[in-house]
Amino acid sequence: LWTKTAQYMSSRADFVPVSYVRELSKLQDEAPATSWEDVHQMLSKAGILDHFSHIEEIPIASASIGQVHAATLKKTDKKVVIKCQHPHALTLLSDDFISLKIIARIVGILEPEYKFVEILMREWSEEAKKELDFRAEVENLESAIQSIKSMNASTPMLTTDGGDPIPFSVEIPSPMKSLSSKQVMVMSFCEGKRIDDLDQIEKCNVPREAVMNAVSQTFAYMMYASEIFNGDPHPGNVFLRPGLISGDRTSSNEDQGFTIVILDWGLAKRLAKSKRIGFCQLTYAASTLDFGLMMDAFNTLGLKLKREHVAEDMEGIRFLLRDMAPRETARRRVKAKMKTDMKRAKEKKKGERVPVESTAYPGEFFFFVRTNELLHGLGSRLGVDMKYLDVLKPFAERGLRDCETYMSVSAHPDPISREKILDIPLQKQIDEVLDDLQKSNAINGAQVCVIKDNQVLANTVCGNLGALKKNVLVRSDSVFVGFSVTKATAATLANKMVEDGLVNLDEPICERIWKKFCPSINPPAELLECMTVDDNITERWGWKRSITLRHILTHTSGLWSALPAKITLKTFAKVEACCEGFEYNAGAPEDTLLPINNPGSECTYQYLSFGWLVAGCVIGAYEAHHGERKTYKDIYDEVLGPLHSSELKSAGFKPFGECGDHDMAHVETETDIARLMQMRREAEAMGEMMENMTDDEDIEESQELKNRKILMEGIKGREFVLDPRLLNSGAAVDANVPAAGGRFSAKGIALFYHELANGKLLSPDTLSEVTKVSAIEAGLQGLQGQTSIANNSGEGQRTSQFGLGYQIISIEDAKNNHAFGHAGVGGSIGFHQVSSNTSVGIMFNKVGANKESAKSIINVISRHLDW
């Protein structure tokens, strides 16, 4: 066992000193050998001596479990190798593991949060014991050979260092089952030299980066797209030779490419499909910085967390799969990360230092970590710079493409096949625009629906459901994440309750409907004690007490950047829990959220807080009026639910996030603030720095720069809330986020606005009042997304106009351009053009830099309908 530990340490050139690596490396294939007399006796007992015309008495390699002798078969003169087990390997390994298990159990008793060490030792011992039965290794070799055959058939088998592609092949020794037994195994002889032999790499005439890329591709395929992977890829088990394997496996073409040979399949890991999918999710999440998918991966793997710190967890997984680097750079990064982790551990309470539940640590994780760390050590030993995750990503994605979770589709026919379209010319024009947008890669999947005077003029779709659902086509009843399109549903509920007399727009919400929001006239003593004089607590407390529903609906509350201090993915999905985050908690005064300016004095877009503030008012107003506390969803269903038509409900209208029997589109994103902040966090943890993220060419106004800095500081450690893909995750499918979590089809949101505009939800007088301009924001923050059609846009200044919860939209070049609605960060939008009584729904599932997609579609509709 200690030999195996030394082999592992010798493979970690990324952090073990060079002198230790050099000396311990001898144990990879130069461990003490068993005498020839004992080997001869073992072969004689196995009854296979007569099958060989010659056996080399001196082993060509010796390691922890056994040693290997070159031999020649009598019948064919074929060169083979005989692997013989050291006589006392079973006894020594068993004794070592018993000792380690006892130590691990004692550690678990003394420090319960480290009880998972016992699970890891059990996993390692179970797999290591299999190494002692060479019949199991024969089966592993047979499976590995089939895996590589599948890889050859399904992948290009090309590697690169950034230049021209270089072909490579992979060889696995072929076992001879009839000559193998528990302690003796015969297999084909594979030519090659250790992969860390730099002269051999030079002989192959390929860059080291290309060699490491090919090795990483091979292990990625085995881990993510096959049933087995080698769990012991130290340099003594990975060989290299020039030339490619030809069809008969006996000759090679040395004029081009090279061959990787993977030996020693005693320590191999077979993964159940669910575990393999979990590791695919984990790796793909790390490569794309997808926080929600990472949490899905933890759930799939059975890895239960005692606490949720999404940013820290992402940092840990991405460090495991970090870029490969030469020895000195790698060691510097590892040391810096260890220093960062030790500092954080000291700041945590006992019992919180290990994030995983000790009894819910999947044993398979041990081999996943071990294999990846050994490959990192090899990369450092070869001195390569390589973006490891870029190599792993396509293989992890491939493993997920075949997963049922991302392939399931609705069984019933698409309702669009029965839809009566009244304006075919308009639909054709919209289709042409969508086609152009797809060809330019501006959009991925899309829906557009136009309704006028209760009749469908156009209803069309294109593309696929996006991200990991790219193989599934969009339907007319597929539901897309609406992001801020959802705000209109929350605003309508609030305005309906104002209309019904349950709340007054201008009463301070803390006085009657939400007393916990700001419960006392003066700031509590404990709040003053935990804040500084510079925080202006007394003044800001007074500001908070003056906040009204009107301030909230017009984005002038001063709480635009506020997030609940203890927000997690779990609480993010529950509106009531987030509402509590805005209330004063005497037990945690440091978490108090206060306005950053006097309410009513400045309009700044409340990207997430809008929904929670509205929901808190709605819940409190209902309770104050009816004497009964209900959830936000239950109140919506009671107040507005009966007013919605059955057609709207079946079309795809889910303001609370659930999808029902509708296909759910996945969000794709090219870049976002959350991703940039996470990358900065990780760079700092490794003692490195990124360039200033505020150097953004899109920032035009100094106020916008100021707001961006406030935003970044406010979400530090909670960056995941700004990741648009968060709502793709299983944990957030049913998330009730009233400012951003609704899921709609284009027809569903168009029908909503048509019913709203035609008096089914609010009276005409109320609607007229709430769709007047009440506030103007100068300088968008990038969180309103594709809203240029919702703004007055000049060359110098950009402004956004708000009514009471709705954006007031000015349509370019229209004769009568008054419209109201709401756009979302993904470019989706729903709105109603008043003079023509036309409602439009546009849904996209790609969040990117393009700002013109919805605008180009709306301009076509406007010209065609002569707005």
Side-chain angles (χ1 to χ4, degrees):
L1 179 59
W2 306 117
T3 301
K4 296 190 76 64
T5 302
Q7 288 174 344
Y8 176 80
M9 298 301 292
S10 70
S11 303
R12 297 303 308 279
D14 52 336
F15 77 89
V16 176
V18 177
S19 57
Y20 285 83
V21 170
R22 187 180 298 117
E23 192 63 29
L24 293 176
S25 292
K26 296 175 182 178
L27 294 174
Q28 293 173 357
D29 51 18
E30 298 177 32
T34 298
S35 68
W36 168 246
E37 289 75 16
D38 288 341
V39 170
H40 189 275
Q41 184 179 354
M42 190 180 299
L43 298 178
S44 177
K45 185 177 179 181
I48 61 172
L49 278 173
D50 291 342
H51 290 273
F52 305 99
S53 60
H54 176 72
I55 302 175
E56 294 285 346
E57 294 184 8
I58 299 175
I60 56 177
S62 179
S64 58
I65 300 296
Q67 61 193 48
V68 176
H69 294 258
T72 305
L73 290 173
K74 272 184 182 179
K75 287 185 178 181
T76 62
D77 281 337
K78 182 179 179 181
K79 193 174 182 180
V80 295
V81 295
I82 306 171
K83 183 175 180 179
C84 303
Q85 190 175 123
H86 294 313
H88 304 297
L90 174 60
T91 302
L92 292 173
L93 196 66
S94 298
D95 289 348
D96 287 345
F97 270 118
I98 289 172
S99 300
L100 274 180
K101 282 182 179 179
I102 292 172
I103 293 171
R105 180 159 293 184
I106 292 172
V107 169
I109 293 171
L110 296 177
E111 295 285 348
E113 67 175 322
Y114 289 94
K115 192 174 179 62
F116 71 91
V117 174
E118 186 179 348
I119 297 174
L120 297 186
M121 286 299 100
R122 184 168 61 245
E123 179 75 14
W124 188 15
S125 66
E126 290 301 317
E127 293 299 329
K129 284 177 184 176
K130 294 177 184 177
E131 286 193 86
L132 298 169
D133 187 346
F134 289 171
R135 293 170 298 186
E137 185 170 354
V138 168
E139 292 181 2
N140 290 342
L141 284 167
E142 290 175 338
S143 296
I145 289 169
Q146 291 304 313
S147 175
I148 297 304
K149 282 183 179 179
S150 297
M151 182 181 179
N152 286 330
S154 60
T155 60
M157 301 299 286
L158 295 172
T159 182
T160 182
D161 67 337
D164 294 333
I166 302 167
F168 73 95
S169 55
V170 181
E171 183 174 18
I172 308 293
S174 296
M176 297 175 185
K177 203 168 186 176
S178 62
L179 300 180
S180 301
S181 58
K182 186 174 182 179
Q183 293 181 306
V184 176
M185 180 173 61
V186 182
M187 53 192 153
S188 61
F189 182 89
C190 297
E191 297 284 352
K193 293 185 179 180
R194 288 172 53 118
I195 197 165
D196 59 351
D197 185 330
L198 301 185
D199 291 336
Q200 181 73 346
I201 293 177
E202 189 173 336
K203 185 178 178 182
C204 291
N205 194 31
V206 292
R208 299 179 198 177
E209 284 80 8
V211 171
M212 197 64 228
N213 180 289
V215 171
S216 300
Q217 283 191 55
T218 303
F219 276 84
Y221 182 88
M222 290 189 291
M223 283 191 285
Y224 305 124
S226 76
E227 68 172 40
I228 191 170
F229 66 90
N230 188 301
D232 204 17
H234 62 69
N237 286 340
V238 185
F239 280 18
L240 184 71
R241 69 167 182 265
L244 299 171
I245 300 173
S246 63
D248 61 7
R249 296 179 58 86
T250 59
S251 62
S252 64
N253 175 7
E254 296 192 8
D255 294 334
Q256 59 173 341
F258 60 94
T259 294
I260 296 165
V261 181
I262 304 176
L263 307 172
D264 193 353
W265 285 79
L267 192 61
K269 187 64 184 173
R270 294 176 185 269
L271 293 176
K273 184 177 180 180
S274 62
K275 299 295 184 184
R276 179 168 57 80
I277 292 298
F279 287 123
C280 287
Q281 289 175 319
L282 194 67
T283 301
Y284 192 74
S287 69
T288 57
L289 281 154
D290 189 330
F291 297 96
L293 185 60
M294 179 187 69
M295 301 305 290
D296 284 349
F298 289 165
N299 185 58
T300 303
L301 291 168
L303 199 154
K304 297 180 181 178
L305 302 178
K306 291 187 291 188
R307 58 92 186 109
E308 188 181 296
H309 195 314
V310 181
E312 191 172 299
D313 295 336
M314 178 64 80
E315 178 189 316
I317 298 302
R318 281 175 54 82
F319 182 76
L320 168 64
L321 304 173
R322 63 196 176 277
D323 293 348
M324 290 184 179
R327 183 181 284 115
E328 290 307 314
T329 301
R331 288 187 66 193
R332 187 185 72 245
R333 289 173 178 172
V334 171
K335 284 185 176 181
K337 182 65 166 66
M338 291 173 68
K339 185 177 179 180
T340 299
D341 289 345
M342 289 175 66
K343 181 181 177 182
R344 290 173 182 166
K346 289 178 181 179
E347 295 170 352
K348 293 175 181 175
K349 299 176 183 176
K350 189 174 182 179
E352 295 179 354
R353 293 169 186 171
V354 177
V356 181
E357 289 284 355
S358 291
T359 57
Y361 199 106
E364 295 88 348
F365 203 75
F366 169 80
F367 282 95
F368 180 76
V369 171
R370 172 188 166 87
T371 300
N372 281 289
E373 290 291 4
L374 284 172
L375 290 173
H376 268 93
L378 177 57
S380 290
R381 194 153 185 174
L382 294 183
V384 303
D385 273 304
M386 190 181 83
K387 292 192 176 298
Y388 186 46
L389 271 171
D390 286 353
V391 180
L392 303 185
K393 179 184 176 183
F395 294 96
E397 184 176 8
R398 171 181 176 159
L400 293 175
R401 293 277 186 221
D402 299 330
C403 177
E404 294 174 4
T405 303
Y406 308 109
M407 291 293 292
S408 60
V409 296
S410 296
H412 59 276
D414 188 339
I416 204 169
S417 61
R418 304 188 302 272
E419 190 83 73
K420 185 178 180 181
I421 305 299
L422 293 185
D423 197 331
I424 300 299
L426 173 60
Q427 177 135 318
K428 286 183 177 180
Q429 290 180 56
I430 294 172
D431 285 337
E432 289 173 2
V433 174
L434 291 176
D435 188 51
D436 289 341
L437 290 171
Q438 272 196 299
K439 287 177 180 177
S440 65
N441 203 34
I443 65 172
N444 190 20
Q447 301 168 324
V448 181
C449 184
V450 183
I451 299 175
K452 176 179 169 61
D453 297 330
N454 295 311
Q455 294 183 310
V456 177
L457 300 187
N459 190 17
T460 188
V461 304
C462 74
N464 57 68
L465 294 183
L468 294 172
K469 289 188 168 185
K470 278 187 175 178
N471 293 329
V472 183
L473 297 178
V474 173
R475 296 161 47 109
S476 65
D477 60 349
S478 300
V479 289
F480 288 58
V481 179
F483 297 109
S484 287
V485 172
T486 314
K487 287 182 171 67
T489 65
T492 302
L493 176 58
N495 285 314
K496 181 64 176 175
M497 296 184 76
V498 171
E499 182 180 87
D500 291 345
L502 275 69
V503 60
N504 187 296
L505 281 169
D506 298 307
E507 64 175 310
I509 61 175
C510 67
E511 291 184 358
R512 184 179 67 87
I513 64 171
W514 197 357
K515 294 180 180 180
K516 292 182 180 180
F517 183 71
C518 198
S520 59
I521 295 175
N522 297 311
E526 62 269 16
L527 177 61
L528 293 171
E529 289 173 5
C530 73
M531 300 289 186
T532 67
V533 175
D534 293 338
D535 291 325
N536 298 322
I537 300 304
T538 301
E539 182 179 34
R540 293 170 67 193
W541 183 266
W543 289 348
K544 188 173 184 180
R545 284 191 59 80
S546 71
I547 291 175
T548 66
L549 181 57
R550 186 185 298 276
H551 291 140
I552 294 167
L553 291 174
T554 56
H555 298 269
T556 59
S557 71
L559 288 168
W560 69 271
S561 63
L563 288 175
K566 300 295 194 299
I567 194 169
T568 65
L569 181 56
K570 190 173 183 179
T571 57
F572 178 76
K574 297 179 179 178
V575 60
E576 288 77 20
C578 289
C579 290
E580 290 176 5
F582 286 81
E583 299 174 353
Y584 179 71
N585 179 1
E590 67 279 5
D591 294 341
T592 302
L593 299 174
L594 297 173
I596 60 177
N597 55 262
N598 191 3
S601 66
E602 183 179 310
C603 177
T604 309
Y605 188 63
Q606 300 158 163
Y607 60 100
L608 281 173
S609 57
F610 176 91
W612 297 321
L613 291 169
V614 169
C617 293
V618 164
I619 293 169
Y622 186 94
E623 182 178 17
H625 185 80
H626 294 283
E628 180 184 5
R629 191 168 183 84
K630 287 191 173 183
T631 66
Y632 175 76
K633 181 181 184 302
D634 286 344
I635 295 169
Y636 187 102
D637 288 342
E638 180 180 326
V639 176
L640 289 182
L643 305 180
H644 291 322
S645 67
S646 58
E647 184 182 11
L648 178 147
K649 294 175 182 177
S650 63
F653 182 78
K654 306 289 182 180
F656 314 111
E658 72 273 6
C659 295
D661 59 353
H662 296 267
D663 291 343
M664 182 183 79
H666 272 200
V667 179
E668 286 191 3
T669 180
E670 295 170 351
T671 185
D672 56 69
I673 296 173
R675 197 180 308 192
L676 293 173
M677 292 189 70
Q678 180 68 23
M679 290 172 69
R680 166 168 282 190
R681 173 194 175 93
E682 293 167 7
E684 291 174 351
M686 292 191 292
E688 300 173 350
M689 290 296 295
M690 288 179 61
E691 294 180 7
N692 194 336
M693 292 186 302
T694 59
D695 295 338
D696 190 329
E697 63 181 6
D698 289 332
I699 297 177
E700 300 174 0
E701 302 287 328
S702 60
Q703 182 60 44
E704 189 167 352
L705 175 58
K706 177 183 175 183
N707 288 343
R708 180 72 63 91
K709 289 179 178 178
I710 293 172
L711 168 66
M712 289 181 175
E713 186 61 33
I715 68 169
K716 200 169 185 178
R718 299 167 291 173
E719 295 86 351
F720 72 93
V721 299
L722 290 186
D723 183 355
R725 300 161 301 168
L726 183 67
L727 293 164
N728 293 341
S729 70
V733 167
D734 297 327
N736 187 353
V737 187
R743 300 181 192 268
F744 313 99
S745 70
K747 184 176 181 180
I749 203 66
L751 283 169
F752 168 78
Y753 276 103
H754 214 62
E755 293 181 4
L756 174 62
N758 286 279
K760 293 185 178 180
L761 307 181
L762 298 175
S763 71
D765 288 345
T766 297
L767 185 64
S768 176
E769 193 63 29
V770 301
T771 56
K772 292 178 180 177
V773 176
S774 297
I776 300 175
E777 179 189 29
L780 300 175
Q781 306 151 36
L783 293 171
Q784 296 186 59
Q786 196 167 333
T787 56
S788 56
I789 49 84
N791 306 331
N792 293 324
S793 303
E795 289 298 319
Q797 189 181 45
R798 297 176 295 171
T799 63
S800 189
Q801 299 178 331
F802 294 100
L804 295 181
Y806 309 98
Q807 288 177 328
I808 309 306
I809 299 171
S810 297
I811 299 170
E812 190 176 90
D813 298 329
K815 296 189 292 288
N816 191 333
N817 64 6
H818 178 61
F820 65 89
H822 219 295
V825 72
S828 300
I829 187 169
F831 70 91
H832 184 79
Q833 205 278 339
V834 178
S835 65
S836 67
N837 194 30
T838 304
S839 299
V840 176
I842 301 173
M843 302 303 297
F844 298 126
N845 60 353
K846 184 175 183 177
V847 180
N850 174 47
K851 305 293 184 184
E852 301 297 317
S853 298
K855 186 175 181 179
S856 60
I857 295 169
I858 293 169
N859 285 340
V860 164
I861 298 169
S862 175
R863 287 192 297 269
H864 183 84
L865 297 181
D866 196 26
W867 289 348

